[in-house]
Amino acid sequence: MPFARTLMVALTLCGLANVPPPAASSSDAGPPSPRALDLHVVVESERTTMAAVRRTSIEYWLSSNKTWLRAGDRTTIVRNDLGVQWRLHRPSRSYSEDRVLPYTAGGRTVPPGSAPVNLHTEGFSYEPDFRWTVEETDERDFIAGRPCSLIVAVGRADFAETVLRIWLGPWIEDPTDPNVNTMIANRGLSNSAITFLARTAAIGRRGALMAVEEAYEPAILAAVNVRTRVLTLEKAPAPPDIYDLPDGFTREVR
Amino acid sequence: MHHNLRSLNGVAVALLLAVAPPHRALSVVEPAEEADLPRVVITELKHLEETYRVLDVAADKVWPGWTDYRNVPFLFEYRNGLKVLVGHPNPPAGYELLADVRVENKSVAVDRRNLLRLELEAPLRATGGIIRYGATDEGDPVETVHMRFSAAGTRNSDGRPVWRAEHQILTFVHELFHTFQNAHFIPFAFGNLHYNPDVHYATYSEIEGQALLAAWQERDQRKAVERLEDFIVARDLKRRSMTAQQRGEESADDLREGTANYAMVRTLEVLRESDFTARLSPMEAPSYNGFRNVGPLIDQHVQQLRLVSGQIDDPKAKCYEYGAFQALLSQRLFPGWQRSLAGGESDFIDQEIRRRLALEPSKQAAIERRLGRLYPIDSIRAKTARVIGGRDAAFRDIRARKGEVYIVDFKTVGVSVESLFPLRDSYRLGWHRLYPKGTPGVTLDDINLSRIDVPFEAGQLYYLRLVGTAAPHGAPAAFSVNGAMAADGSYVNATVTTPHFTLRAPRMRIDAEGDRVKIKVLSRVKED
């Protein structure tokens, strides 16, 4: 597909390097030791299905090899450097620990149709193999202070359909995981959409997902509409010890 | 969550209810005129009111502590697009409250935005499920019983409808019991059974059913326990090809759907022994007999158990009665069985039965030998092998077809493809059904689909998928459309003709790309 127009826009946009960090505070004890600036992101998500709307706000701190994410009562800390992921439940002050799996675009490693047929389980699960049609648009907007452009993608499969409205902003050059460009605004989307977006946004370092709207008609279940949008995107010093397991939490035995 | 109404209706022909007026008719202000609701819709609201009165008598004897059955909203959805919401704390946008209509003290709201010109004629029957529908003021989703009504259709030889008010009330009981389960004793995360049987599984699955039936019919308690032992050992043998996850799914299905069906039968048993007084007049509920003759209603479940025992390719369909009769037999033989489930001693009914029987390995081996004497294993295996072999051959043949692809999508109009055609000569495989010999033509409202003479499958419930082999591989799919195109690109009152079938529908959208054509049926009734 001709992406030239979007690419031109993206290349002329300013990157995060131009976002000024907050001024360091001074103290009588001398200059503070320099602290790396991490990426701080707040994403708003809205999911509508069966006449019910569920809104969530997700806050991220991202550093090299480390991610902190909070949604509602749950906090997830991913430590790629240690190979673990902690899921914290703040009301019960408990947590679980799992071996960390490297993030892959869309989380899917087996393309549809490539697994051997198992007649015991054949026909139950269905992952749409969408044929995508992508259309560039002239629509522009500022999201979290960043200029973005809209593309619309329509996915058609035998037993499912989806329509994506994708706002791409400037590529984020950052010491964090490069997947940050494709993951921060994909919360709640269908698996197939996440895979497609990861591929679309990442090709040629095309842009960062700043907002996505998906109208998804799954095979059997009720239609789902998801809107997700980045509200805050900044470089800032992370709160101290935020990537560490906090004191006073008890590990769940499962 | 869906009650297996297709097969229940099949055995309902045997129902012979005495015709007698209810004990006492309420003086009811008929609100149909004021609310402009069809009479059959008012009738269903009356059935729901009667359901609460039935449960006032039966619920605590169905399951100790079941008292919260009035707390759950109902969503009634009709073929003409009408939606009726009862007792919802915060009806979603599009609903209007009806000032003159209430179910007990519950509000009634309707959504008429998508009404079709379609008469609703009694009798209706509904299948149901539990959904999250709308949200409270605080934004929490609302657990709601969702009932979809369709024409009950069939009548007995004497002209009376097979589907009676009692069936509908018991179906409401079934769904309400699901909401009780969710709040009180359904354990953790096992979804529905996802398992297609092989010959070994299907053989011992039928023996399980025969053992449950024999246990139910056995009056001698010691012998009934022996038949339950047969059931447990047959289940252990059956499950050798299943994963731990699949075993858990099967037991969880038995618990979910089985205890909900148990609630239906147990309600009938309690009503038989009580002085329940029906409160609906013939005017309010024309097919209602006030549960005056519950024996035939209980017998329907026994007949259904017998029927599903011999079904081979759809094990999920068995959980309703297999689970129900595990629960009914536990009620008869193992007092306190519910406490074990609610208290966490056992997660599933079969686990509780196994715990109560406490079979030693040596006895288990003896029972295994006994199965061969008591049950016709060889003939069951031979029958099963023919069906499973046919299914596997159909699967291979249909999936091997290469050529242009035609898909007809019935999801928008809420029609599962397998409900359109006879089940004979077809096979279930997951959420698909295989039709190796094609199907006869069918008409549904204003939709007409011609006979299909080539093998095809119904995929994911709602989609007819046919691979043609007439055109050269990779060639565009051939089709023509005769009808008017609307401004939105859909076709109105059009006919699509392909080399393999002809489809006429009031409105449809067609997406054609290369060797693939997808026809989405958007309406089943002609619009103004």
Side-chain angles (χ1 to χ4, degrees), chain A residues 120 123 158 217-219 221, chain B residues 196 411 431 463 465 516 518:
Chain A
H120 282 309
D158 285 358
E217 183 72 57
L221 299 177
Chain B
N196 299 311
K411 188 185 179 197
W431 297 123
Y463 309 85
R465 186 177 191 278
R516 181 176 171 279
K518 185 171 181 179

Side-chain angles (χ1 to χ4, degrees), chain B residues 145-409:
Chain B
V145 177
H146 179 207
M147 309 297 307
R148 275 189 168 182
F149 288 86
S150 57
T154 318
R155 290 175 181 266
N156 276 327
S157 55
D158 63 1
R160 284 184 295 115
V162 168
W163 186 259
R164 303 182 60 86
E166 280 85 348
H167 293 111
Q168 195 56 68
I169 290 168
L170 290 167
T171 304
F172 292 156
V173 168
H174 177 106
E175 299 303 338
L176 284 170
F177 196 75
H178 279 311
T179 67
F180 175 73
Q181 294 169 339
N182 293 345
H184 294 89
F185 68 89
I186 286 291
F188 48 84
F190 277 110
N192 294 140
L193 175 62
H194 285 183
Y195 188 80
N196 299 311
D198 53 26
V199 174
H200 176 84
Y201 174 99
T203 299
Y204 282 98
S205 175
E206 182 161 347
I207 292 168
E208 280 182 311
Q210 291 190 8
L212 284 173
L213 182 62
W216 175 255
Q217 292 174 328
E218 182 58 67
R219 293 298 102 188
D220 181 307
Q221 183 159 326
R222 184 182 57 81
K223 289 181 179 173
V225 169
E226 286 181 0
R227 298 291 76 76
L228 261 186
E229 291 171 348
D230 296 348
F231 164 75
I232 287 295
V233 171
R235 172 155 288 205
D236 288 346
L237 288 167
K238 179 189 80 170
R239 289 181 161 183
R240 286 179 181 170
S241 61
M242 300 175 81
T243 65
Q245 175 71 19
Q246 289 161 341
R247 290 193 290 269
E249 289 170 354
E250 184 174 59
S251 291
D253 273 347
D254 282 359
L255 182 65
R256 276 187 294 261
E257 300 300 347
T259 54
N261 260 29
Y262 153 84
M264 301 165 82
V265 180
R266 183 69 187 132
T267 294
L268 292 167
E269 290 180 336
V270 174
L271 291 178
R272 180 163 58 188
E273 295 154 9
S274 76
D275 56 354
F276 172 72
T277 303
R279 300 280 290 277
L280 298 182
S281 70
M283 179 72 82
E284 292 171 307
S287 67
Y288 188 42
N289 192 40
F291 290 99
R292 289 169 66 89
N293 188 8
V294 301
L297 293 166
I298 294 175
D299 285 346
Q300 287 181 358
H301 288 269
V302 179
Q303 291 181 51
Q304 182 67 8
L305 172 63
R306 193 193 312 273
L307 187 74
V308 297
S309 294
Q311 287 181 353
I312 293 171
D313 58 350
D314 189 6
K316 160 72 181 167
K318 299 187 176 192
C319 66
Y320 297 88
E321 301 302 356
Y322 279 28
F325 280 87
Q326 288 173 59
L328 289 162
L329 287 161
S330 295
Q331 179 74 14
R332 184 192 293 176
L333 300 170
F334 306 133
W337 67 282
Q338 291 140 316
R339 279 197 303 278
S340 296
L341 288 167
E345 275 182 273
S346 296
D347 290 327
F348 306 117
I349 320 175
D350 57 358
Q351 191 180 354
E352 175 64 10
I353 294 172
R354 196 176 272 110
R355 191 177 75 83
R356 299 282 189 139
L357 295 176
L359 297 176
E360 298 290 336
S362 60
K363 185 166 187 187
Q364 184 132 349
I367 295 167
E368 192 172 328
R369 289 192 294 276
R370 163 171 105 197
L371 294 182
R373 294 196 303 274
L374 294 179
Y375 303 91
I377 293 178
D378 289 341
S379 64
I380 293 172
R381 184 178 284 120
K383 175 189 73 173
T384 299
R386 283 195 297 276
V387 174
I388 297 295
R391 180 201 68 187
D392 293 354
F395 175 72
R396 284 192 304 270
D397 292 349
I398 289 174
R399 293 295 170 91
R401 294 173 68 86
K402 302 292 180 197
E404 67 277 20
V405 178
Y406 299 91
I407 297 151
V408 184
D409 174 356

Side-chain angles (χ1 to χ4, degrees), chain B residues 117-137:
Chain B
R117 280 196 318 162
L118 196 64
E119 284 293 315
L120 297 177
E121 294 179 9
L124 299 179
R125 69 176 187 185
T127 53
I130 309 302
I131 61 172
R132 291 178 162 195
Y133 190 72
T136 63
D137 285 337

